[in-house]
Structure formats: C-alpha cells, structure tokens
C-alpha cells in the first residue's frame, strides 16, 4: 500500500523546501513572484471542473493548496502570520457569516443563505471603515 501523507507532514515538506537545504526555486519565491502561479493554478482548477475531471480536479486543488501553504510559509518566516492563523481566521469567518447555521438566523433556500452571508459581510466592511 502506498504511503499517504498527513497534513502535518505536508507542512513539514513545504518548510523543508524553503529551508536552508531546500530547493533553490522554492526558497527564492515571494508573495509577488507567486502571483502568476496562483492565477495559473486557479485557472486549471476551473478547467478541471468544466471538464468534469475529478482526478485532475483533485490534483489541481492540491496545487492551489500548495500556493496557500507557500504564502503562509513565507509569512511565517517573516513572522507576519502562520498557516494556523489562516485556518483560524477562515473558521471564524465561516461561523460568523453563517448565523443561519451556527446561530439563531434562518435560511431555507440557497438565496437566503447567500443573502445572509452578504449581509454579515456588509456589516463587517462598515465596521472596518469606522
């Protein structure tokens, strides 16, 4: 049976790629230099979805996830934020913007769910402007 890697092992692999003995290309990357890669990988995800190609979709989602991990690793090296911060921020946003699931709100249709998300998002933007 072929080895299956864990999330923690994947984080270690990305850190090693950017580490002292890592890959020269990976070590040279910055947030800015990875923009083109993120755009290309996102386009490849869309293409896999449109082609209804699950195997390719799985691979391309991994490539987009690598972009998230690389950006998080770069930020961690610069002591700006970590992948754990990204996960925490996303989880908090999902809970906050789904009061119809995690709170007292109600949404019976996809349209109501989207409207709820957009309403919370608007309130968050307004609060940031103050």
């Amino acid at each position: 049976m072929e080895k299956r890697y864990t999330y923690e092992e994947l984080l270690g692999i990305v850190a090693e790629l950017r580490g002292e003995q890592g890959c020269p290309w990976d070590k040279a990357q910055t947030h800015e230099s990875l923009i083109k890669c993120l755009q290309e990988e996102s386009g490849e995800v869309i293409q896999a979805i449109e082609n209804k190609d699950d195997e390719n979709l799985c691979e391309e989602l991994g490539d987009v996830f690598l972009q998230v991990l690389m950006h998080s690793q770069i930020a961690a090296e610069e002591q700006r934020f970590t992948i754990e911060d990204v996960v925490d921020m996303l989880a908090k946003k999902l809970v906050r913007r789904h009061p119809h699931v995690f709170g007292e709100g109600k949404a019976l249709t996809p349209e109501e769910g989207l409207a709820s998300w957009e309403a919370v998002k608007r309130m968050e933007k307004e609060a940031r402007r103050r």
Side-chain angles (χ1 to χ4, degrees):
M1 189 153 105
E2 189 175 342
K3 175 179 176 39
R4 290 181 60 97
Y5 288 91
T6 66
Y7 171 74
E8 289 78 19
E9 289 171 320
L10 177 59
L11 294 180
I13 290 168
V14 172
E16 190 168 337
L17 287 171
R18 287 193 46 87
E20 209 173 292
Q21 302 300 318
C23 171
W25 185 88
D26 289 294
K27 292 182 343 183
Q29 298 315 299
T30 66
H31 292 299
E32 294 76 17
S33 71
L34 288 171
I35 290 172
K36 186 176 181 196
C37 295
L38 181 56
Q39 289 171 325
E40 289 174 1
E41 299 301 351
S42 297
E44 290 172 1
V45 166
I46 293 167
Q47 192 173 41
I49 292 168
E50 290 174 345
N51 292 338
K52 298 182 180 359
D53 185 342
D54 286 345
E55 185 176 339
N56 188 237
L57 177 58
C58 183
E59 179 182 348
E60 298 305 337
L61 286 171
D63 291 346
V64 170
F65 188 44
L66 173 59
Q67 293 299 306
V68 173
L69 295 175
M70 286 287 286
H71 284 282
S72 297
Q73 180 64 33
I74 292 166
E77 291 165 6
E78 298 170 353
Q79 299 182 335
R80 294 166 56 196
F81 61 85
T82 66
I83 187 65
E84 289 81 9
D85 295 323
V86 173
V87 169
D88 181 62
M89 188 175 284
L90 175 58
K92 286 175 180 170
K93 179 190 289 186
L94 290 173
V95 170
R96 200 174 54 246
R97 291 194 183 171
H98 289 87
H100 53 286
V101 175
F102 301 104
E104 301 300 318
K106 289 193 175 164
L108 302 176
T109 66
E111 294 79 15
E112 289 173 345
L114 179 61
S116 176
W117 172 280
E118 293 296 336
V120 174
K121 185 177 178 178
R122 268 191 309 281
M123 288 188 301
E124 291 171 355
K125 284 187 177 188
E126 289 171 15
R128 278 193 291 253
R129 280 187 236 152
R130 291 182 209 150

